[in-house]
Amino acid sequence: MIKTVSHGLFFMARKAINRFFSMFSRVKEKVIGVDKRIVVISMRKRSFRDRRKRLKQERIREQAEKKLEQRVGEVSVAEELEVNINYITKTLGDSGDLITRCFTVQATPDRKAAVMYIDGMADVRIVDQFVLSPAMTGIEILRTKGNLMELLQESFIQSGEVKVTSKMKQLIEALLYGDTLFFLDGENKGIIVGTKGWDQRGVDEPKTAAVIRGPREGFTENLRTNSALIRRRLQDPDLRLKSLTVGERTKTHLSLLYIEGVTDQAVVQEMEKRIDQISIDGVLESGYIEEMIQDNMWSPFPLIQNTERPDAVVAHLLEGKVALLVDGTPHVLIAPAVFAQFYYSPEDYYERYLVSSFLRFLRLGSLVIALLLPALYIAFVSFHSEMIPVKMAIAMAAGRAGVPFPSIVEGLVMEISVEVLREASTRLPGPIGPTIGIVGALVIGEAAVSAQLVSPLMVIVVGLTTISSYANPNYNAAISLRLLRFPLMIAAATLGLYGVMLLLLLIILHLVKLRSFGVPYMAPIAPLRWSDLKDSLVRVPWPFMKKRPKIFRPQDEKRQQGGDDSI
Amino acid sequence: MSQLQPEGTITPYQGYALLVTTVIGVEVVVFPRFLSREAGPDGIWIMLISGLITTFLVYLMTRLCQQFPQQSITQFVPRILGSKHSPRLGRLLSAPLMLLLLISWLGIVAMITRSFGEVMVSAVLVETPIEFIMGTLCAIGAIVTSNRPEILARYAEFLLPFLYPPILLILFAVIQEGDWLNLLPLFQVNWHQVFKGLLHSLATFGGIKVILIFMAFYQQPQRAMHSHISAMVIIMIGYLGTFLSALSIFGKDEIVHLLWPTLEVVKQIRIPGGILERVESAVLVVWMVAVFTSITAMLGASVQLIISAFRLKEHYRKWIALGGAAIVYFVGILPTTVNQLLQWSYRFGLLDVGIALALPLLLFGVLKIRGGKGAIEQDEQPPV
């Protein structure tokens, strides 16, 4: 529904713009003083011109791409060292951080060699100790005769990751990814030495989705560290890791992880297909990918989960989902996702079942409060005051007596100021953040009430709502509910409980319609699956969850021995 | 190459949810008055009998649809009535039947919408014009019914659990205020009263024939019988509970003076702990869910009927839904008084149950006379 509306809006906007421009051209024609028929002809001409312009633009783009291809694509390594160095230096535009070290190979003094790497991207110690040092001094003791290039590659460059290629494009891509290039005069090949090693943040406790019991490791910005964190927890030969690259300029590396034999292959294929279709210049965070591959662009609800916790990723992989690691961000995407899983914490599975079931009920309660409490307050105060107990109603009336605004204004002002406070304290540097909280609490809580701008109960309602919206392990799910709160408040102010209910029915329709990679978003509640309800609001003890959840269509259903029987 | 999970068909549990949410609707708040006026405490067993009758009708319709799995009513009725040589004859003969179905559904939905508006205006939103309430309800109904039947089924499935809590509340009211003596004396009615009571209680079961439409989308039509019969049992329990509580609290003489007896029952509830002073607004909200699901199921069935009858493309669905909702709105504002409205809804309910009785009997009769000729094609259907 949102989709159709926004489509409609988009269409209307486009139409309006078109009309605007056509009006313009018509005016021009009128000024010149030609009759209507010519206007029509000129309009037709205009569309023709548009088409020509478009074609021209396309041609230019194609040529640019071709040029780029020509610049690096087909070029192969030359035999002369100087040519290669010059070519790479020119391609990178004399970049200041490109280090080129030329030296003479002592075994054959007439042959020069060069090492090229980008300062800060490559690990200088590895380059010095295991590439430069053996090549410069080790070769002196060389007695055997043979192909120097092969010898170098086989015995002297002491690195695990070595690749010989004659394609300039590959060489430059490797250089930009932190590898070191080795050229030898007289050889039309270059050696790529794996020396990636830039400064990075260490494995740290994740800032989001904190747990009391459970591993403290979180992902980092490095793709390989992240995949290693997962591999260490999941030493399964069936774990598949597909490498992909997205972003025409950033060349961001992605890793698609899944367990073969557990994950539904259709989801993997669909994921690859959708990633293939992305054509964007840069990907800086997994959020780019998330928005481009999710099923419904217009939904306020997140359709793909993200997490910073390797243990959570492993748990999802074991349930038959797919994880997507993006280089440069600690947030890993998990798909398909259902609504309920945004309210689960990894800790639910580490803590005993009673505790975690209780916590899940608590989260459901906080969800309802975060979504509905302000709307219900407004509806009760403006329409259904008979529902409030008499004594409380009197107290409330006393509190509201001096307030000059209707409850909806009061509510919106308070909610928006709390949102502003929240945003301010998120963006401010650490030590100042809490200060904002105190100032906000004082100003909004105390002063606003004593100045009779808002009623004391409204402050309680807003406070409860804000706290409840944080009692949710996933930030992006919480924020979508916080957004929906405002239309609900407006509905409550216009139609009372009836309005709230109407809007809720629409939201439920939207939720029921949503799908994430083929999985209905409200599963396992609608469509109902009894066996999957064991891990929903109540988490039953582990011995009873012998099978993986069916909603994700795992190929191998068994999770524990004895999973054949129907419990 | 494997495929992503498709949109899916209607599961047996969804069939159950659809039937329950469709039948339980606006009538819940009114019917104790009529039943008590016609039959007094004997309404208890009259209700039971009419429940059994409708269960039998549901059984008939389910059997009928089971003979034509994955076929909608617009496909198999012409096949039964017409012959192979002239398919047009079958379609011509089935046209009035389809029209009758359509009229009864749209009529019921219109009456539901109006009654809902009346209750809302009289109980909660006193100053809001009824046209506005009906308009918003129709608009939202159109949005919901512009979706495929599978989604409507999932919608009903999701909303069904919200209908259960009021049963507890009503039980609560009975414990607090009820008097068992009000249920007596039984068996004081004559045949005329029994008949009229039966008609009134039968009319409350309007909507059962949506299964004629939705069964075309069932995953396993063979398993539909179980879910439909259990749905009817649940509905019967719900209705009986409502009637018993209203009767035990007010007695047969007082009940006839109450406009919305069930609402009055709820008003009797005092929640211990004093969190809420009165719960009728909250119950009205839940009741709204019940009403809304009835509207969406029947409007959705009408939309699907039109779509499959004229073999329209999918993108026409939203316009048909919109048109249907508009008809519902304008028929809904026609009755001038609440009394007239209740008369009309009674007649539409009876028409609905009447069709539900006549249609399967007629079709089964034709099938029998023609020696199962119409159903021959079912062998071509792949086994499900």
Side-chain angles (χ1 to χ4, degrees):
Chain A
M1 144 68 192
I2 295 167
K3 201 173 166 181
T4 36
V5 167
S6 43
H7 261 294
L9 280 180
F10 176 68
F11 188 69
M12 272 160 63
R14 212 171 56 184
K15 223 169 154 184
I17 289 169
N18 275 347
R19 194 170 297 161
F20 179 72
F21 279 115
S22 65
M23 196 173 74
F24 219 68
S25 68
R26 236 173 259 162
V27 167
K28 204 172 75 186
E29 304 292 352
K30 239 180 212 169
V31 169
I32 299 167
V34 259
D35 70 355
K36 245 181 187 172
R37 202 185 302 160
I38 298 179
V39 172
V40 170
I41 292 169
S42 87
M43 291 280 282
R44 210 176 280 158
K45 248 189 194 163
R46 203 168 62 87
S47 75
F48 181 68
R49 226 173 347 190
D50 277 357
R51 192 164 154 261
R52 216 167 48 185
K53 216 159 127 192
R54 213 175 51 235
L55 282 178
K56 197 176 161 193
Q57 269 175 357
E58 256 169 38
R59 221 166 32 233
I60 288 173
R61 215 189 59 225
E62 266 169 31
Q63 269 174 357
E65 270 171 18
K66 220 184 266 169
K67 231 157 71 187
L68 199 76
E69 260 318 278
Q70 272 172 359
R71 226 165 58 188
V72 286
E74 295 303 313
V75 179
S76 53
V77 179
E79 289 205 352
E80 296 81 23
L81 183 68
E82 286 297 316
V83 176
N84 290 335
I85 292 174
N86 279 342
Y87 182 79
I88 292 179
T89 320
K90 223 175 77 190
T91 313
L92 297 193
D94 275 326
S95 189
D97 56 353
L98 177 68
I99 308 272
T100 312
R101 172 74 161 96
C102 297
F103 57 95
T104 315
V105 181
Q106 290 300 330
T108 49
D110 53 324
R111 292 181 84 174
K112 292 201 88 176
V115 163
M116 298 180 93
Y117 61 89
I118 289 183
D119 198 17
M121 296 277 289
D123 191 339
V124 183
R125 273 179 314 149
I126 300 179
V127 179
D128 288 354
Q129 284 181 18
F130 303 107
V131 182
L132 273 177
S133 171
M136 290 168 86
T137 60
I139 286 191
E140 277 181 47
I141 51 163
L142 187 71
R143 292 290 169 263
T144 47
K145 289 229 167 189
N147 188 337
L148 192 58
M149 191 72 173
E150 272 177 26
L151 274 171
L152 271 170
Q153 184 203 338
E154 279 179 8
S155 318
F156 288 95
I157 294 175
Q158 294 150 3
S159 171
E161 197 185 331
V162 172
K163 200 172 157 195
V164 180
T165 178
S166 61
K167 283 196 182 117
M168 215 38 148
K169 190 181 173 199
Q170 268 188 14
L171 286 166
I172 288 177
E173 273 176 6
L175 179 71
L176 290 172
Y177 198 24
D179 288 339
T180 301
L181 306 184
F182 190 103
F183 291 111
L184 187 65
D185 202 16
E187 294 282 344
N188 61 350
K189 279 176 203 149
I191 305 177
I192 301 170
V193 189
T195 55
K196 295 181 200 70
W198 47 83
D199 283 335
Q200 61 183 53
R201 200 166 60 92
V203 173
D204 208 354
E205 190 170 347
K207 292 278 182 290
T208 58
V211 295
I212 293 166
R213 179 175 177 175
R216 303 250 179 265
E217 282 179 331
F219 287 122
T220 70
E221 280 76 8
N222 186 340
L223 180 69
R224 279 292 150 261
T225 314
N226 294 350
S227 63
L229 282 172
I230 294 171
R231 271 244 193 247
R232 227 186 68 213
R233 285 176 173 75
L234 187 65
Q235 292 165 8
D236 182 354
D238 285 337
L239 177 66
R240 296 283 173 271
L241 194 151
K242 284 193 180 173
S243 289
L244 307 158
T245 315
V246 170
E248 262 133 51
R249 287 188 185 276
T250 57
K251 297 268 186 283
T252 310
H253 292 256
L254 316 178
S255 286
L256 184 66
L257 268 72
Y258 61 95
I259 303 177
E260 196 169 276
V262 174
T263 311
D264 182 11
Q265 279 302 310
V267 174
V268 178
Q269 281 162 3
E270 179 70 22
M271 190 76 152
E272 283 183 276
K273 202 181 94 195
R274 290 188 192 174
I275 292 173
D276 262 356
Q277 284 166 352
I278 299 178
S279 122
I280 187 172
D281 58 345
V283 172
L284 304 180
E285 219 277 338
S286 50
Y288 285 55
I289 311 268
E290 180 183 338
E291 274 194 28
M292 290 182 120
I293 62 173
Q294 64 190 2
D295 295 59
N296 186 334
M297 222 186 301
W298 310 105
S299 176
F301 296 96
L303 291 172
I304 294 173
Q305 198 186 349
N306 69 67
T307 179
E308 277 189 85
R309 305 187 60 87
D311 51 326
V313 171
V314 173
H316 287 301
L317 287 176
L318 286 172
E319 285 188 350
K321 294 177 213 167
V322 173
L324 188 69
L325 277 59
V326 179
D327 198 15
T329 174
H331 294 280
V332 171
L333 301 180
I334 293 163
V338 294
F339 182 76
Q341 86 187 43
F342 290 94
Y343 294 87
Y344 300 164
S345 163
E347 203 180 354
D348 294 352
Y349 302 95
Y350 309 149
E351 213 31 275
R352 285 176 319 110
Y353 79 98
L354 263 179
V355 179
S356 36
S357 302
F358 170 68
L359 288 178
R360 282 187 178 178
F361 271 99
L362 213 61
R363 281 185 215 132
L364 178 70
S366 66
L367 183 158
V368 174
I369 290 176
L371 186 66
L372 288 176
L373 191 64
L376 288 183
Y377 172 79
I378 291 170
F380 280 11
V381 167
S382 348
F383 290 93
H384 316 284
S385 40
E386 81 280 355
M387 282 177 75
I388 309 167
V390 180
K391 278 184 184 167
M392 197 174 146
I394 293 169
M396 274 168 71
R400 271 191 58 77
V403 181
F405 309 116
S407 57
I408 173 72
V409 175
E410 197 189 358
L412 280 179
V413 166
M414 284 299 281
E415 290 287 349
I416 288 172
S417 39
V418 165
E419 292 291 308
V420 170
L421 261 183
R422 184 194 54 76
E423 178 64 15
S425 62
T426 323
R427 303 296 156 216
L428 274 175
I432 310 179
T435 325
I436 287 288
I438 294 165
V439 171
L442 266 179
V443 169
I444 293 187
E446 280 298 316
V449 169
S450 41
Q452 297 206 324
L453 284 175
V454 291
S455 62
L457 200 66
M458 192 68 218
V459 177
I460 298 175
V461 165
V462 170
L464 257 180
T465 312
T466 314
I467 294 167
S468 299
S469 75
Y470 286 119
N472 173 351
N474 280 286
Y475 180 73
N476 54 347
I479 211 157
S480 66
L481 283 189
R482 282 221 298 272
L483 285 178
L484 289 175
R485 206 172 58 196
F486 292 105
L488 277 169
M489 281 162 70
I490 293 167
T494 43
L495 281 172
L497 274 181
Y498 170 68
V500 174
M501 208 55 215
L502 272 188
L503 203 56
L504 274 184
L505 284 170
L506 270 187
I507 293 172
I508 290 172
L509 173 77
H510 174 66
L511 281 172
V512 159
K513 267 171 79 174
L514 276 181
R515 300 173 88 80
S516 169
F517 286 86
V519 178
Y521 198 50
M522 288 318 275
I525 298 156
L528 187 76
R529 279 197 192 270
W530 286 106
S531 59
D532 290 355
L533 282 184
K534 283 188 286 195
D535 180 18
S536 54
L537 201 51
V538 176
R539 179 182 77 77
V540 301
W542 270 109
F544 294 103
M545 290 197 286
K546 291 198 163 135
K547 286 179 171 178
R548 303 179 207 282
K550 278 195 186 118
I551 46 173
F552 301 109
R553 289 212 304 193
Q555 292 182 329
D556 173 22
E557 284 197 345
K558 252 198 282 184
R559 180 141 62 180
Q560 294 174 27
Q561 278 305 314
D564 295 318
D565 39 52
S566 58
I567 40 171
Chain B
M1 188 173 147
S2 45
Q3 292 278 312
L4 282 185
Q5 294 184 34
E7 187 48 82
T9 42
I10 298 179
T11 62
Y13 176 74
Q14 285 173 347
Y16 162 84
L18 256 178
L19 194 53
V20 173
T21 53
T22 309
V23 174
I24 292 188
V26 81
E27 308 86 1
V28 181
V29 294
V30 248
F31 84 88
R33 169 151 68 105
F34 295 115
L35 201 53
S36 173
R37 190 183 67 199
E38 302 300 340
D42 292 296
I44 299 168
W45 56 268
I46 291 176
M47 193 76 215
L48 212 60
I49 290 175
S50 61
L52 289 176
I53 293 172
T54 40
T55 309
F56 175 68
L57 296 184
V58 168
Y59 168 82
L60 276 184
M61 285 187 284
T62 312
R63 280 302 294 273
L64 181 70
C65 291
Q66 277 175 346
Q67 303 219 345
F68 303 91
Q70 266 90 45
Q71 285 189 40
S72 77
I73 182 165
T74 51
Q75 285 170 307
F76 69 72
V77 171
R79 193 169 279 180
I80 296 173
L81 295 180
S83 69
K84 231 177 187 174
H85 306 295
S86 59
R88 193 169 287 176
L89 178 73
R91 281 168 69 186
L92 205 70
L93 283 175
S94 65
L97 284 179
M98 301 301 140
L99 203 64
L100 218 57
L101 279 180
L102 205 63
I103 288 171
S104 73
W105 273 325
L106 288 181
I108 288 189
V109 175
M111 293 309 116
I112 288 177
T113 317
R114 174 67 186 270
S115 316
F116 177 80
E118 290 289 347
V119 176
M120 273 293 158
V121 167
S122 67
V124 194
L125 300 169
V126 187
E127 286 170 32
T128 313
I130 189 167
E131 288 83 3
F132 187 66
I133 291 177
M134 286 172 63
T136 46
L137 200 64
C138 285
I140 306 278
I143 291 172
V144 175
T145 47
S146 57
N147 289 293
R148 289 188 54 77
E150 294 92 338
I151 289 171
L152 293 184
R154 233 186 295 151
Y155 195 56
E157 179 184 27
F158 187 85
L159 291 175
L160 175 70
F162 295 99
L163 302 189
Y164 294 136
I167 298 177
L168 282 181
L169 273 182
I170 286 173
L171 209 69
F172 212 74
V174 173
I175 293 169
Q176 279 184 343
E177 302 284 332
D179 188 354
W180 292 111
L181 281 178
N182 281 338
L183 303 183
L184 298 173
L186 283 171
F187 306 110
Q188 302 291 316
V189 284
N190 57 34
W191 285 113
H192 182 66
Q193 284 171 311
V194 170
F195 182 69
K196 284 196 80 172
L198 257 182
L199 285 187
H200 271 287
S201 54
L202 275 177
T204 60
F205 285 90
I208 46 174
K209 59 189 174 27
V210 290
I211 57 174
L212 287 176
I213 293 290
F214 288 114
M215 262 191 82
F217 299 90
Y218 274 22
Q219 208 172 45
Q220 300 144 308
Q222 284 76 15
R223 285 176 60 192
M225 192 62 83
H226 180 250
S227 49
H228 286 170
I229 300 290
S230 37
M232 292 312 292
V233 171
I234 288 290
I235 295 166
M236 252 152 63
I237 291 173
Y239 276 177
L240 263 182
T242 314
F243 184 66
L244 281 177
S245 60
L247 198 65
S248 69
I249 290 171
F250 300 115
K252 72 176 164 76
D253 297 317
E254 195 183 340
I255 225 175
V256 292
H257 298 298
L258 301 171
L259 187 57
W260 318 110
T262 313
L263 214 56
E264 300 297 325
V265 169
V266 176
K267 277 186 186 170
Q268 303 302 313
I269 301 170
R270 290 184 310 273
I271 302 274
I275 312 161
L276 292 173
E277 183 77 7
R278 292 159 77 176
V279 290
E280 80 256 25
S281 294
V283 169
L284 273 183
V285 162
V286 176
W287 175 68
M288 176 181 163
V289 174
V291 171
F292 192 69
T293 45
S294 310
I295 293 176
T296 53
M298 283 187 248
L299 196 57
S302 329
V303 171
Q304 180 61 35
L305 183 74
I306 296 173
I307 291 251
S308 60
F310 295 102
R311 296 195 185 91
L312 293 175
K313 289 211 183 75
E314 198 54 37
H315 67 267
Y316 286 111
R317 191 181 287 275
K318 52 175 174 275
W319 301 112
I320 294 172
L322 208 62
I327 294 174
V328 163
Y329 174 79
F330 286 111
V331 175
I333 51 173
L334 282 183
T336 44
T337 60
V338 177
N339 224 3
Q340 197 183 4
L341 166 74
L342 293 175
Q343 277 296 317
W344 284 29
S345 10
Y346 165 63
R347 279 176 202 153
F348 272 118
L350 269 190
L351 175 69
D352 189 89
V353 179
I355 296 173
L357 175 70
L359 194 77
L361 283 183
L362 172 77
L363 293 180
F364 266 124
V366 175
L367 261 183
K368 196 93 184 165
I369 292 165
R370 303 185 61 193
K373 251 187 201 164
I376 264 174
E377 273 84 356
Q378 69 165 309
D379 301 335
E380 296 161 14
Q381 294 290 324
V384 183

